[in-house]
Amino acid sequence: MRVLVIGSGGREHALLIGLSRDPQVTELHVAPGNAGTGAIASNHAVDVSSDEAVVALAAKVAADLVVIGPEVPLVLGVADALRGAGFATFGPSAAAARIEGSKAFAKDVMTAAGVRTARSEVVDSAANLDAALDRFGPTWVVKDDGLAAGKGVVVTPDRAKARDHAAELLETGHPVLLESFLDGPEVSLFCLVDGETVVPLIPAQDHKRVGDGDVGPNTGGMGAYTPLPWLPAGAVDEIVAEVVKPVAAELVRRGVPFSGLLYAGLAMGADGPAVVEFNCRFGDPETQAVLSLLKSPLGQALYATATGTLADLPTLEWSDGAAVTVVLAAENYPGKPRAGDTITGAQGDGVLHAGTAFSDDGAIVSAGGRVLAVVGTGVDLAAARADAYERLASIKLPGSHFRSDIGKAAQEGRISIPSGE
């Protein structure tokens, strides 16, 4: 099976590594890829937001399966163009990808499906902002209603900060979504979805804030770990039954069935799981940790999803133990990152490239905000954390930063679900 992966980040590098372990995968291509993906796949410099360019590349490499990693080409309808050209494609249609592309659409779907989520209100005019803010708080959640790569969200007890963020979004023409605050630790659950068939992967937890102790602005994710020792047995089944299956069924009812990876970001509160957000693709950096523990052939699972045969897929098998992903970010991230710095030590198992490129003299240099994702594995969370940080210690990038506490609270037993008492 010849597989073409669309994207350039750590998620795509992780997908390629997983696919390379599938005995049925014979050839790997990636567009555009990065300085790390070229070691296991052929990189192709293609504009992934152009459906014509992606379809032409799929034809050129005679792809048996196309896997779309990022949200932007999905929201723009690249999967539709590929399917229209006859290619088996892992990734939802543009209509179904609105579950991520429009938070207002996602709220409407959840309401119709009876899925628990935060109370919300869309604000599209500065004239209505103050009155709307008065209906929320004392912790305000302010989101860009469109795609924001995880950085369009402000969660704050400071009304002035909430207002400033909302006003900035409105000034740039972006509608604002205000939400009530959901308590409880967050869970990321990836599910393969083919219409109403849902196959969950193992749950993970992302670390969104830039600094240790969950301080500073939100990012696209500074690290993740899996599994979750604090999550009760049966919680994944509960999430699938109460959240994912009802949403998948509602999308089918609307005539926009989902095919691909549906990511549910949830707050585990006293009343059960409540949806924080849906994404229409694998999440980054959770993918790096989750796929490192997958024993079943990844290509066959993605192909079954893409061809409508997910119900026939054998039960997924997972390695014992734990995995931790730590993101090495460029100076100034999540602001405008410094780029072009030489990276040393960025080779070897467990080092996944995200924002990297080759300089004119062939050196690996930084080319994005989140530059590398380092994955450690071990018999438990403590061992996986130690493995990840040991690998990270050998990598040098001027001005770079990372969190030193990925998975630490879970390792120390400091995470719990609020009780209903």
Side-chain angles (χ1 to χ4, degrees):
M1 180 163 57
R2 293 177 296 274
V3 183
L4 168 62
V5 174
I6 303 301
S8 62
R11 163 187 48 221
E12 287 74 37
H13 198 172
L15 286 164
L16 289 165
I17 290 171
L19 289 164
S20 71
R21 296 172 178 155
D22 186 330
Q24 290 191 11
V25 174
T26 56
E27 200 173 299
L28 284 171
H29 298 268
V30 59
N34 57 46
T37 59
I40 54 173
S42 298
N43 287 0
H44 300 270
V46 166
D47 177 4
V48 301
S49 65
S50 165
D51 51 12
E52 295 91 346
V54 174
V55 168
L57 176 60
K60 178 182 177 181
V61 303
D64 299 302
L65 172 67
V66 182
V67 179
I68 302 177
E71 61 273 27
V72 171
L74 291 168
V75 170
L76 292 176
V78 172
D80 302 84
L82 285 162
R83 289 195 185 94
F87 293 100
T89 303
F90 183 88
S93 65
R98 290 180 68 205
I99 198 77
E100 177 173 2
S102 168
K103 294 177 180 65
F105 174 77
K107 290 289 185 183
D108 187 57
V109 169
M110 284 186 274
T111 298
V115 169
R116 188 183 298 110
T117 187
R119 178 175 62 87
S120 65
E121 183 176 337
V122 176
V123 181
D124 57 10
S125 167
N128 302 326
L129 178 57
D130 285 306
L133 285 168
D134 289 342
R135 292 189 283 272
F136 291 84
T139 297
W140 283 267
V141 180
V142 184
K143 296 182 177 181
D144 186 331
D145 188 44
L147 298 177
K151 293 175 284 185
V153 181
V154 164
V155 180
T156 178
D158 187 328
R159 188 184 188 281
K161 286 184 179 179
R163 191 189 190 285
D164 288 346
H165 182 61
E168 181 181 350
L169 291 172
L170 290 168
E171 286 173 8
T172 56
H174 292 231
V176 168
L177 188 76
L178 300 180
E179 288 187 343
S180 58
F181 178 71
L182 296 172
D183 68 340
E186 291 195 12
V187 173
S188 298
L189 184 65
F190 299 165
C191 293
L192 302 174
V193 176
D194 163 20
E196 294 195 41
T197 302
V198 175
V199 175
L201 308 190
I202 53 176
Q205 187 179 60
D206 185 14
H207 293 60
K208 284 289 188 189
R209 301 278 188 168
V210 71
D212 283 5
D214 291 325
V215 300
N218 273 334
T219 71
M222 292 299 293
Y225 66 94
T226 187
L228 310 181
W230 50 267
L231 192 67
V236 169
D237 292 339
E238 179 185 12
I239 293 166
V240 169
E242 295 185 6
V243 175
V244 186
K245 283 191 173 181
V247 165
E250 175 61 18
L251 291 173
V252 170
R253 189 190 69 78
R254 293 180 180 219
V256 289
F258 195 97
S259 173
L261 194 290
L262 186 59
Y263 165 125
L266 309 123
M268 300 300 293
D271 297 328
V275 175
V276 176
E277 65 177 350
F278 279 112
N279 290 338
C280 63
R281 38 71 193 186
F282 279 100
D284 184 346
E286 299 99 320
T287 300
Q288 292 90 312
V290 169
L291 292 188
S292 72
L293 298 182
L294 179 65
K295 292 173 66 176
S296 298
L298 177 61
Q300 294 168 48
L302 302 186
Y303 187 78
T305 308
T307 56
T309 59
L310 183 59
D312 301 325
L313 185 72
T315 300
L316 295 178
E317 296 183 6
W318 300 90
S319 297
D320 294 331
V324 171
T325 303
V326 182
V327 169
L328 182 72
E331 183 175 340
N332 200 43
Y333 179 80
K336 182 177 175 56
R338 194 169 102 181
D341 290 309
T342 300
I343 309 165
T344 58
Q347 294 85 23
D349 291 343
V351 180
L352 281 63
H353 288 235
T356 65
F358 287 110
S359 65
D360 291 341
D361 61 1
I364 298 174
V365 297
S366 58
R370 293 183 295 167
V371 179
L372 299 171
V374 179
V375 180
T377 56
V379 295
D380 56 20
L381 203 48
R385 292 188 70 247
D387 187 38
Y389 284 107
E390 183 179 350
R391 295 174 191 270
L392 189 61
S394 64
I395 300 170
K396 305 300 178 187
L397 170 63
S400 62
H401 60 98
F402 59 89
R403 283 186 58 161
S404 66
D405 63 347
I406 303 301
K408 185 177 181 181
Q411 176 193 330
E412 296 177 347
R414 292 188 281 115
I415 300 179
S416 61
I417 297 173
S419 67
E421 300 176 357

